[in-house]
Amino acid sequence: MSTYRVAQVDTVGGPFQVTEREVPRPGPGHVRIAVEACGICHSDALFVNAGVPGVQFPLVPGHESAGRIEELGEGAEAKGWRTGDRVAVGWFGGSCGHCTPCRQGDFIVCDNLKVPGWAYDGGFAERMIAPVDALARIPDALSASDAGPMACAGVTVFNGLRRSSARPGDLVAVLGLGGLGHLGVQYAVAMGFETVAIARGAAKADFAKRLGAHHYVDSTAATPVAEALQSLGGCKVILATAGNSAAITDTVDGLSHRGELVAIGADSEPMGISPVQLLMRGRIVRGHPSGTAQDVQDTMAFSALHGIRPMTETVPLDQADAAYRKMLSGGARFRMVLVPH
């Protein structure tokens, strides 16, 4: 039996070790993918640090995978898949199909969502097994290292914007210019929104403008963020990509009447929002999860059409631990991507 390499964590919070395993055969309704690239997401830390129930070690994370189908399990061909197809697998790694959200067609909030790296081995590897309902077709215009991050970071901000209440011409702000936010600004501009980028420091203004932002708000300036947003007319939508509850809280009063705060940046600390801030202006606060395989496919198609790409730094699989630590430190600009070969 041939072998393949994985970057795995053996203990809670431990370092990544590259080891070899025997190549598995895909079961019914599954495929084996030859991984060509896999982004490193901050959410991978949830699994490495056993921050969610049911994590088992050794652990192989990775939910921003892109590659080619290498072998089909029983029934996969009947679902329209062929060997050689280019596919991506993101945070949505499959659903159960029988819980109430699934029966309502809302698969991304499945009660038994199968996240790669949690439910099964992810893409920090040369190969991975995934169910067919997790597969998104990669357009020819996208490289694997571009497609991988779009399966989580990309689809989260793209879906968060297109499912919001904003319409072309509305003022929309993106809080944060990191791995999520630098894509969020590009999508907001391409969707026809008057786009505001919010980040720390005046030095990021030029970068925001290069991404296409029409306005830049420095959150460290003397003028409060909410006041700066109101001076522009008030935001119909604020897409909060920064994982900082205090920074998110500071934006709320920058919403217009019936404005909507869409929170996608993860932070365990509570936000300091009062009911009065919401009631008097009819404002809405909601969390937004990632997106299904079809949403990932839509994201990649939109990106190819509009020339939107993530900014990435590619590193070989055997440097997975250093790349993961760089992501954790905030030093990534803006998405670390493992390339197995």
Side-chain angles (χ1 to χ4, degrees), residues 199-202 217-223 225:
R200 294 178 58 83
V217 171
D218 174 8
S219 62
T220 66
T223 303
V225 170

Side-chain angles (χ1 to χ4, degrees), residues 6-338:
V6 303
Q8 68 181 37
V9 175
D10 294 325
T11 58
V12 177
F16 282 88
Q17 306 282 352
V18 176
T19 186
E20 291 194 356
R21 297 183 179 182
E22 290 188 350
V23 175
R25 300 291 301 274
H30 288 67
V31 301
R32 187 174 71 239
I33 300 167
V35 178
E36 297 174 349
C38 186
I40 302 176
C41 179
H42 201 278
S43 298
D44 289 316
L46 283 174
F47 312 132
V48 172
N49 296 323
V52 290
V55 174
Q56 296 183 350
F57 293 87
L59 173 82
V60 181
H63 56 268
E64 292 188 346
S65 306
R68 295 180 184 272
I69 295 178
E70 188 175 63
E71 184 178 353
L72 302 170
E74 181 184 351
E77 187 171 5
K79 299 292 186 180
W81 298 103
R82 303 289 184 272
T83 56
D85 285 350
R86 302 181 69 224
V87 294
V89 180
W91 178 265
F92 179 83
S95 56
C96 71
H98 60 75
C99 68
T100 298
C102 282
R103 287 169 61 85
Q104 293 173 341
D106 201 356
F107 302 106
I108 190 58
V109 288
C110 169
D111 290 342
N112 306 292
L113 188 67
K114 302 170 187 175
V115 182
W118 185 7
Y120 54 85
D121 288 342
F124 286 19
E126 292 176 331
R127 291 175 173 85
M128 66 179 292
I129 303 287
V132 293
D133 64 330
L135 305 179
R137 295 187 187 276
I138 301 174
D140 292 340
L142 294 185
S143 68
S145 60
D146 287 337
M150 288 181 179
C152 180
V155 68
T156 302
V157 291
F158 176 78
N159 244 10
L161 288 168
R162 74 166 175 172
R163 299 189 186 283
S164 75
S165 57
R167 296 295 177 263
D170 285 343
L171 188 72
V172 170
V174 178
L175 172 64
L177 285 178
L180 292 166
H182 87 286
L183 286 168
V185 169
Q186 295 179 76
Y187 287 131
V189 172
M191 290 177 184
F193 305 138
E194 183 180 352
T195 304
V196 186
I198 309 169
R200 294 178 58 83
K204 295 181 180 178
D206 287 342
F207 176 59
K209 294 298 175 65
R210 290 200 302 273
L211 293 174
H214 303 98
H215 310 280
Y216 179 72
V217 171
D218 174 8
S219 62
T220 66
T223 303
V225 170
E227 185 177 325
L229 295 177
Q230 286 297 342
S231 72
L232 296 171
C235 292
K236 182 66 174 179
V237 168
I238 297 173
L239 183 73
T241 73
N244 184 314
S245 292
I248 297 172
T249 298
D250 289 343
T251 69
V252 174
D253 284 333
L255 289 167
S256 66
H257 63 284
R258 304 291 181 185
E260 180 182 24
L261 172 65
V262 181
I264 61 175
D267 189 359
S268 59
E269 294 299 316
M271 293 186 292
I273 301 172
S274 74
V276 172
Q277 287 175 282
L278 306 179
L279 290 170
M280 299 302 290
R281 301 286 283 166
R283 292 166 175 154
I284 298 167
V285 178
R286 69 177 177 89
H288 174 76
S290 179
T292 65
Q294 182 60 54
D295 293 324
V296 173
Q297 199 162 303
D298 292 347
T299 301
M300 292 190 292
F302 186 90
S303 301
L305 182 65
H306 291 277
I308 296 172
R309 301 292 186 273
M311 297 181 181
T312 61
E313 180 181 342
T314 57
V315 294
L317 184 66
D318 57 12
Q319 295 179 23
D321 191 70
Y324 174 77
R325 305 297 164 187
K326 185 172 182 178
M327 178 278 298
L328 282 182
S329 73
R333 293 292 181 270
F334 285 94
R335 216 66 180 171
M336 304 300 295
V337 178
L338 297 176

